[in-house]
Amino acid sequence: MKTSFDLKSSLQENRLFLSRSIVLILLVSLLFLALIFRLAYLQIETHEKYTDLAQNNRVKLSPISPIRGLIFDTNGQVLAENNPSYSLELIPEQIKDMPGTIKRLAELLPISKGEIDLFEKRRKQHKRFASTALRNRLNDNEVAAFSAHRHLFPGVEIQARPLRNYPFAELTSHVVGYVGAINEKELKILNLVNYRGSRFIGKTGVEKAYEDLLHGSVGYQQTENTAQGRAIKVLNHTPPLSGRDLTLNLDIQLQKVAYDALGDHTGTVVAIDTRTGAVRALVSKPGFNANLFAQGINQTSYTALRTSKKRPLFNRVTHGQYPPGSTLKPFLGLAGLEYETIKPNQRIMCPGFYQLPKREHKYRDWKRGGHGLTNLHDSIVQSCDVYFYMLAHELKIDRMHNFLRRFGFGQKTNIDLMGEKTGLLPSREWKKRARNQVWYPGETLIAGIGQGFNLTTPLQLAHATAILANRGSAYQPSLLAKIDNETMPLKLTEPVNLNNPAHWDNIHNAMYDVVNGARGTARSIKIGAPYKISGKTGTAQVFSVKQDEKYDEKNVSEHLKDHALFIAFAPAEKPQLAIAVIVENGGHGGSVAAPIARAVFDQYIDVSP
Amino acid sequence: MNWVFQKNQRAGHYHQRRGGLLQRIHIDITLLILLLSLSSIGLLILMSSGQDDIGLLERQITRLSIAFFAMLIVAQIPPHVLKMFAPWLFLLGTLLLLGVLFMGDIGKGAQRWLDVGFFKFQPSELLKLATPMMVAWYLAERRLPPSIKHIAFATIFIAIPTVLIAKQPDLGTAILIASSGLAVLFLAGISWRIIGGVIVAIGGLAPVLWSLMKEYQKQRVLTFLNPEDDPLGAGYHIIQSKIAIGSGGINGKGWMNGSQARLEFLPESSTDFIFAVFSEEFGLIGCIGLLTIYLLIFFRAIYISIQAQDTFSRLLAGSLSLTFFIYLLVNVGMVTGILPVVGVPLPLVSYGGTSMVTLLIGFGILMSIHTHRKLLTP
């Protein structure tokens, strides 16, 4: 029974297979005829046309890459330019004996092993007929040395190409960024037609964010060539369209002051003009020499940069996320006033610790003996922790979250740089979603002094400070000021409107006394300033101290030391500039971070009436 | 006495007369002669396009020898053994492909290659054979024509390597692998209604996909479909290639006399665009001759598949035959400017490529299928 079924079905299968095979044979024969017809069309019907073209086929079309737009600072100082540079380039297709040619070239010019390796790597990525650089930045003597022996090297040429240069190198490495050779990943998403002939593309910073504007459009050149392929006459020329020149809001003098003020510390300085949102200084230290990338960085230098403990390639301003520590207190104080959980002059007792009702655990103040009876003003001026434990406990985490969010915490500022991080503004809902855990009351207390889950980017902190300085009006932080001569419009964002605008004064007064009061935590920086600064210090814990244990600065290793923070704006009565300073493992905000802000203000604040 | 020999003694009049020895060493002489003549023509063109570069010629001859040797070795393996290994080869190939994808990500630039110490190897080559083997293995165990469920599974087997390879990105190879698998499905008797339905569905989905694409992706597709938009990239190749072919005329300019290729107007003249060099030098007559050799190879291969005795062999042989022709179609279509530019070499003629080895191993499988038959008729 089984056999007969198998036989029958196998017979059926045979028939099916045969019929399908016949269909395939017919299909293939048809396609075969189609190919023949196509060939006959090309070789009989249009034969004459193509014969003409072949005889005149001395014409070569080549791309002319556009000149990349320049980048200026707000005062017209050049931050990124194109310098002419001579490179030694090889066209693999025209070179019969590649190793021999390279060897002979190395006898003529200094060529390092690294350069040869880089060339071999690039050669594999390029088409065989594409010109590939073996050495960049030849000096005049080297150009002369090669030119004299040029006839011995078919397929080798000296090309004058513009090379991107960053006059301020380390100083602008994170904000201006750099260009580098186009890689395979970028090739996949590029408009290939427009990038024919382009070798570089913006990789980071403004160079990347405004790649479209800076690059320009490709041009073409039709040349009549000799049979050996040398151009003898230009027949047609479509000029490329140069990239647009960009003027940034950045003030390179201010940037330099901020950079120098950081000294040997690792950290960031962000300065935003409160009246416009213009980013005047954006420093992430350590920086790196961006020119290395534009010139084609070798593996050793790249590895050194990438593996360096201080992470120079990391843009801390937009990508670094730090606990804001006590710098969050002015904002939380404002929240307390707005939700009416506190009154401006209401005092509480600070015994040096805080306990949740019916709990043993002591949440400690940084000051061992406590601040005694203290109100909101004094708690900001002296940075009392206990006051803010109490405040946070009454506000609850969700109201804290909702209020701080209005100042831009926990979300991107939408600055015109790529890849900005959001920081973290914790809430009940966030903890459920991200960790699938319930919120504990103790975590609210820790959040009340800007520790715990709270994370902000330095840029967010400066942005929030600007909003605070402005009494609520908010501008999106922006780097771009002008495209060619066209000024960019101001970007207003959702303002923070208080139920009682007088609350702004409470906080402003407190921040004023942080610097100008007799007991302010940053009182040291007021000396000799011809204008008034308002600010708030912060010290963010990296290392957690156990219950009843004392944080001993001397016994904690360098990378676990506290981060020093300072936010400030000036002049206090009519703010122009808001600053956020973070010094990694710097210790105390008042002594380390605040003087840096002072230096920046000194450079920027216009005291003339 | 040898087992195969005994079988053959009892077996065929046809093969006995045609050459008992050849069958014993598992060679199909018709295929062998056709393949050898094709490679010889290839070497002749290479002499012209390679501009008398002896090194180039020597390397090609070495590769051809290795490939032919591999073909003869594979021909010794009986089809039932191939069938047994099919799923394992497929699994191995897929794992290697994943490996290349992840490791390649670290190294960048070289996502297709796996360095196995003494030689480099492209897992996608393995899958060119393993994919049709896998689908044939799977369907051979099922009742044909296949049910919807079996079609669905077979489609998954095809989709896995296709997607992985398209991601590399190697569109040409992805197309070849997809069509080799689909060919098996077609031969297995998938109903015309489904074929029609799929075609209609693709036609209907295309506008939806288009509207979902990003601007640069749309631009890519347009350049792909109309290379003349990109006069410095694919467009340049096509224009130069058409000039070379068209100026060849009916009789051609004669061997070594093609000005376009010689003057280096034609890029990739030894590899993907070698057919243009041939057309310029040998004209339409030469082209018809060359294409006829390809057609004859296809006919011989499909004849082998019709003669095959079990479902697995049949499906696999049919698929290998069709894939071979698709190679030719895609390459010549590209060079003559009727199909988009995807990097597919002209089989057995283009310079280089591990693809030659794979292709000839495929023919080794065909030879094995043909020479391992049990002939029952006296």
Side-chain angles (χ1 to χ4, degrees):
Chain A
M1 189 61 197
K2 194 171 176 290
T3 343
S4 77
F5 165 78
D6 277 354
L7 264 181
K8 196 179 151 213
S9 88
S10 118
L11 222 72
Q12 236 174 358
E13 260 185 52
N14 273 345
R15 224 174 295 143
L16 183 67
F17 183 76
L18 194 64
S19 75
R20 287 296 163 100
S21 300
I22 290 168
V23 173
L24 274 194
I25 290 171
L26 288 177
L27 188 74
V28 164
S29 307
L30 218 66
L31 290 169
F32 174 80
L33 285 179
L35 287 182
I36 300 288
F37 272 124
R38 174 64 181 169
L39 283 165
Y41 171 78
L42 288 175
Q43 298 189 305
I44 299 174
E45 193 68 25
T46 56
H47 171 57
E48 269 178 47
K49 173 183 149 195
Y50 283 121
T51 306
D52 278 358
L53 280 174
Q55 267 155 15
N56 297 324
N57 204 349
R58 298 270 191 269
V59 177
K60 271 199 173 177
L61 195 58
S62 37
I64 312 171
S65 48
I67 296 168
R68 197 170 175 86
L70 304 177
I71 302 175
F72 300 98
D73 92 331
T74 187
N75 298 317
Q77 279 261 36
V78 177
L79 304 181
E81 61 192 351
N82 307 304
N83 286 349
S85 147
Y86 295 99
S87 58
L88 187 70
E89 305 200 350
L90 281 67
I91 302 172
E93 199 177 49
Q94 294 175 13
I95 296 171
K96 294 258 158 76
D97 174 21
M98 184 61 83
T101 304
I102 292 177
K103 202 166 151 242
R104 284 188 296 130
L105 281 170
E107 286 162 11
L108 206 60
L109 305 167
I111 297 171
S112 74
K113 174 89 175 48
E115 281 164 336
I116 295 174
D117 290 347
L118 204 62
F119 168 76
E120 289 295 339
K121 200 178 127 200
R122 286 201 195 124
R123 181 156 81 96
K124 281 176 195 140
Q125 292 164 357
H126 288 179
K127 298 257 186 215
R128 270 171 48 75
F129 56 87
S131 180
T132 305
L134 173 61
R135 259 215 56 192
N136 287 317
R137 289 181 299 142
L138 298 177
N139 62 33
D140 291 348
N141 289 340
E142 289 166 340
V143 172
F146 175 76
S147 301
H149 298 85
R150 193 182 178 290
H151 61 282
L152 298 173
F153 295 99
V156 183
E157 276 173 350
I158 297 237
Q159 293 276 1
R161 293 192 191 268
L163 201 64
R164 200 68 160 166
N165 183 50
Y166 304 103
F168 294 99
E170 277 92 357
L171 201 52
T172 56
S173 52
H174 291 292
V175 52
V176 172
Y178 57 84
V179 297
I182 299 171
N183 65 30
E184 268 206 7
K185 223 174 183 174
E186 285 152 350
L187 267 182
K188 282 185 203 165
I189 57 164
L190 272 183
N191 176 348
L192 278 182
V193 179
N194 199 27
Y195 276 80
R196 294 262 172 237
S198 301
R199 299 183 307 159
F200 293 110
I201 190 168
K203 299 280 186 182
T204 61
V206 169
E207 291 273 30
K208 177 170 181 164
Y210 290 110
E211 172 65 24
D212 289 349
L213 293 172
L214 288 166
H215 179 266
S217 308
V218 70
Y220 297 105
Q221 178 169 265
Q222 258 187 334
T223 50
E224 189 178 326
N225 291 21
T226 66
Q228 284 74 39
R230 302 234 171 276
I232 43 175
K233 196 170 145 199
V234 177
L235 298 177
N236 199 342
H237 182 92
T238 313
L241 213 63
S242 296
R244 316 280 298 267
D245 292 343
L246 305 184
T247 302
L248 304 186
N249 286 318
L250 203 76
D251 178 341
I252 194 68
Q253 296 309 327
L254 195 68
Q255 177 89 354
K256 183 158 168 38
V257 168
Y259 190 84
D260 293 344
L262 268 170
D264 291 333
H265 289 296
T266 298
T268 66
V269 178
V270 184
I272 298 177
D273 192 310
T274 53
R275 298 160 295 185
T276 55
V279 176
R280 296 299 188 198
L282 195 156
V283 175
S284 171
K285 205 166 182 180
F288 56 92
N289 184 357
N291 290 313
L292 288 178
F293 286 88
Q295 291 157 5
I297 193 166
N298 63 37
Q299 198 61 43
T300 333
S301 314
Y302 183 56
T303 309
L305 280 175
R306 229 186 35 198
T307 54
S308 164
K309 261 195 187 146
K310 290 191 161 184
R311 301 178 69 197
L313 295 178
F314 183 60
N315 184 355
R316 295 173 158 78
V317 172
T318 48
H319 289 64
Q321 303 186 91
Y322 301 85
S326 302
T327 58
L328 208 59
K329 286 175 182 167
F331 302 95
L332 286 169
L334 202 56
L337 293 172
E338 270 299 278
Y339 287 113
E340 292 177 353
T341 62
I342 53 170
K343 290 201 171 64
N345 291 317
Q346 176 189 351
R347 287 164 180 266
I348 67 141
M349 182 60 200
C350 166
F353 61 88
Y354 181 84
Q355 277 172 309
L356 283 169
K358 296 179 209 155
R359 291 290 160 89
E360 281 296 303
H361 188 96
K362 287 180 176 170
Y363 294 88
R364 303 216 162 264
D365 196 283
W366 64 270
K367 193 171 176 184
R368 279 228 127 182
H371 294 86
L373 275 176
T374 175
N375 63 11
L376 175 65
H377 185 92
D378 297 341
S379 301
I380 290 176
V381 173
Q382 297 176 40
S383 206
C384 168
D385 289 337
V386 170
Y387 187 91
F388 282 92
Y389 289 140
M390 178 275 302
L391 175 63
H393 181 63
E394 284 173 17
L395 265 176
K396 304 274 183 280
I397 190 66
D398 287 338
R399 286 203 287 191
M400 287 163 62
H401 171 269
N402 292 343
F403 190 79
L404 290 175
R405 204 171 164 76
R406 293 162 70 186
F407 283 85
F409 289 106
Q411 53 201 310
K412 294 186 178 184
T413 65
N414 293 325
I415 192 179
D416 35 358
L417 288 176
M418 303 277 199
E420 181 193 357
K421 290 274 185 282
T422 60
L424 177 58
L425 188 57
S427 67
R428 233 178 266 277
E429 188 265 335
W430 162 80
K431 201 179 178 201
K432 185 81 198 146
R433 175 167 39 85
R435 309 221 166 162
N436 198 22
Q437 284 171 358
V438 294
W439 186 265
Y440 298 111
E443 292 169 338
T444 307
L445 300 193
I446 299 297
I449 58 162
Q451 294 282 157
F453 297 117
N454 274 309
L455 289 175
T456 64
T457 67
L459 180 65
Q460 278 177 341
L461 212 50
H463 177 50
T465 307
I467 299 175
L468 192 63
N470 276 345
R471 295 165 190 261
S473 19
Y475 301 92
Q476 185 177 306
S478 62
L479 278 165
L480 185 63
K482 279 196 266 182
I483 302 174
D484 291 333
N485 285 319
E486 169 198 339
T487 307
M488 302 310 288
L490 278 185
K491 285 182 191 149
L492 276 161
T493 56
E494 184 71 25
V496 180
N497 293 318
L498 297 187
N499 298 326
N500 181 358
H503 292 156
W504 290 116
D505 296 330
N506 297 118
I507 301 300
H508 272 224
N509 291 341
M511 287 176 77
Y512 181 85
D513 280 345
V514 168
V515 179
N516 300 288
R519 301 175 70 183
T521 49
R523 60 185 179 275
S524 64
I525 67 163
K526 70 165 178 263
I527 302 156
Y531 55 91
K532 299 296 181 194
I533 303 173
S534 294
K536 178 73 194 82
T537 57
T539 305
Q541 265 182 28
V542 180
F543 178 69
S544 47
V545 183
K546 288 201 191 77
Q547 186 77 22
D548 291 324
E549 205 175 2
K550 195 169 175 286
Y551 169 77
D552 181 357
E553 198 170 342
K554 287 181 210 89
N555 289 337
V556 174
S557 67
E558 181 65 29
H559 73 281
L560 292 176
K561 273 191 187 159
D562 293 345
H563 294 328
L565 292 89
F566 188 60
I567 60 170
F569 56 86
E573 57 288 359
K574 202 165 180 261
Q576 295 171 16
L577 196 69
I579 297 182
V581 177
I582 297 182
V583 180
E584 282 186 18
N585 317 115
H588 295 288
S591 55
V592 180
I596 296 171
R598 164 77 195 270
V600 177
F601 281 130
D602 278 354
Q603 167 72 23
Y604 192 77
I605 301 299
D606 183 11
V607 286
S608 58
Chain B
M1 236 195 249
N2 176 312
W3 178 83
V4 183
F5 186 68
Q6 263 190 336
K7 278 272 150 86
N8 289 340
Q9 287 246 306
R10 264 188 283 126
H13 50 290
Y14 178 71
H15 274 267
Q16 281 283 300
R17 254 180 288 137
R18 189 75 185 275
L21 176 73
L22 283 172
Q23 173 145 25
R24 230 182 309 154
I25 57 171
H26 302 291
I27 288 178
D28 183 71
I29 193 70
T30 319
L31 264 185
L32 186 65
I33 290 171
L34 286 169
L35 292 171
L36 280 174
S37 46
L38 199 54
S39 340
S40 316
I41 294 172
L43 289 174
L44 278 181
I45 313 171
L46 209 57
M47 281 173 80
S48 174
S49 72
Q51 315 252 328
D52 315 313
D53 181 346
I54 297 300
L56 192 86
L57 213 61
E58 277 173 358
R59 285 194 292 277
Q60 180 78 343
I61 291 172
T62 314
R63 284 211 190 93
L64 274 170
S65 315
I66 294 172
F68 270 98
F69 185 69
M71 172 181 84
L72 297 182
I73 297 291
V74 171
Q76 310 306 313
I77 307 169
H80 69 88
V81 177
L82 287 174
K83 185 177 171 185
M84 211 162 68
F85 280 115
W88 300 110
L89 280 178
F90 182 79
L91 190 69
L92 177 72
T94 310
L95 289 177
L96 288 176
L97 214 51
L98 285 170
V100 168
L101 215 59
F102 286 116
M103 288 197 298
D105 225 35
I106 301 161
K108 273 186 184 131
Q111 285 200 14
R112 297 175 193 174
W113 299 90
L114 204 66
D115 211 332
V116 214
F118 60 100
F119 77 113
K120 280 184 177 175
F121 164 78
Q122 277 180 299
S124 56
E125 289 299 324
L126 174 59
L127 281 157
K128 276 186 189 169
L129 296 171
T131 308
M133 281 169 80
M134 176 70 190
V135 182
W137 168 83
Y138 177 74
L139 292 178
E141 299 299 317
R142 274 68 201 170
R143 217 175 139 177
L144 297 182
S147 68
I148 295 285
K149 187 181 113 194
H150 297 152
I151 292 172
F153 273 105
T155 312
I156 292 170
F157 296 140
I158 301 168
I160 293 169
T162 305
V163 170
L164 288 179
I165 290 165
K167 265 184 92 98
Q168 281 182 347
D170 184 355
L171 197 57
T173 308
I175 291 172
L176 288 173
I177 287 180
S179 50
S180 71
L182 294 174
V184 177
L185 267 176
F186 177 78
L187 290 165
I190 178 173
S191 89
W192 286 106
R193 221 176 298 163
I194 295 177
I195 297 171
V198 169
I199 292 172
V200 170
I202 291 172
L205 271 176
V208 180
L209 273 176
W210 180 256
S211 65
L212 287 176
M213 272 195 273
K214 295 202 180 90
E215 205 45 51
Y216 79 82
Q217 288 172 321
K218 285 185 186 175
Q219 206 261 336
R220 285 273 158 115
V221 173
L222 286 178
T223 319
F224 181 66
L225 295 176
N226 186 15
E228 271 86 353
D229 278 356
D230 184 11
L232 290 165
Y236 179 78
H237 290 205
I238 293 301
I239 293 160
Q240 295 302 329
S241 157
K242 282 204 278 197
I243 292 175
I245 298 170
S247 64
I250 298 178
N251 296 313
K253 298 175 184 171
W255 184 49
M256 300 284 234
N257 282 330
S259 65
Q260 296 308 294
R262 301 239 99 196
L263 296 185
E264 302 185 350
F265 284 110
L266 191 66
E268 317 243 2
S269 59
S270 293
T271 51
D272 288 359
F273 280 78
I274 199 166
F275 185 75
V277 179
F278 180 85
S279 308
E280 187 183 13
E281 298 187 349
F282 296 92
L284 182 59
I285 294 173
C287 287
I288 294 177
L290 182 68
L291 292 186
T292 305
I293 298 180
Y294 281 102
L295 191 66
L296 289 176
I297 294 177
F298 169 77
F299 281 156
R300 179 63 187 170
I302 201 92
Y303 170 79
I304 288 175
S305 80
I306 292 171
Q307 291 275 307
Q309 286 168 330
D310 62 287
T311 315
F312 173 76
S313 305
R314 231 180 252 164
L315 294 177
L316 181 57
S319 163
L320 291 173
S321 326
L322 185 67
T323 316
F324 174 72
F325 186 79
I326 289 176
Y327 249 112
L328 173 80
L329 183 75
V330 172
N331 180 271
V332 177
M334 161 180 92
V335 175
T336 56
I338 45 177
L339 291 178
V341 177
V342 285
V344 169
L346 186 64
L348 293 178
V349 173
S350 282
Y351 170 75
T354 35
S355 67
M356 196 157 56
V357 180
T358 320
L359 203 71
L360 281 175
I361 288 178
F363 282 107
I365 295 176
L366 281 165
M367 288 187 180
S368 152
I369 288 172
H370 201 54
T371 53
H372 284 91
R373 287 176 306 152
K374 302 166 195 167
L375 298 175
L376 298 171
T377 38

